[in-house]
Amino acid sequence: MPALWIAHVTVTDADAYGKYAELAGPAIAKHGGTFIARGGRFVQLEGKERPRNVVAKFPSVDAAVDCYHSPEYQEALNHARGASERELMVVETTD
């Protein structure tokens, strides 16, 4: 079943986070992920507001988790650490 990778982010260092985004996109695509929301308008109804929200669709939970642990994504993530506050989850869809 497909899965959604959902990230809620507050960027604290735009330059470093820009390098993360530059590397993360290809890593996500390599594992079958496609972006369905990247930034854009949102309405926070509950919980902690994060100004950047990203959703990518993957073929499966395993594909999304494999992407996260891949060397390519971990290299990208090194630029996000210390440059952002984030929450990231993977949720299986009902498709």
Side-chain angles (χ1 to χ4, degrees), residues 5 31 63-70 73-74 77 81 86 88:
W5 163 304
H31 290 86
V65 172
D66 288 347
C67 176
Y68 181 84
H69 292 293
S70 71
Y73 187 77
Q74 288 298 306
L77 193 55
R81 291 186 178 110
R86 319 165 11 112
L88 175 64

Side-chain angles (χ1 to χ4, degrees), residues 8-80:
H8 304 290
V9 184
T10 299
V11 175
T12 58
D13 179 338
D15 291 336
Y17 199 81
K19 183 65 175 173
Y20 158 78
E22 179 183 314
L23 296 172
I28 288 168
K30 180 178 178 179
H31 290 86
T34 56
F35 291 103
I36 58 175
R38 204 171 187 184
R41 183 174 179 254
F42 72 96
V43 176
Q44 185 73 30
L45 298 175
E46 293 186 19
K48 182 172 178 66
E49 181 173 301
R50 299 276 187 201
R52 182 162 177 79
N53 299 283
V54 178
V55 180
K57 188 173 185 178
F58 281 83
S60 66
V61 169
D62 290 341
V65 172
D66 288 347
C67 176
Y68 181 84
H69 292 293
S70 71
E72 300 88 359
Y73 187 77
Q74 288 298 306
E75 179 184 351
L77 193 55
N78 284 333
H79 297 282

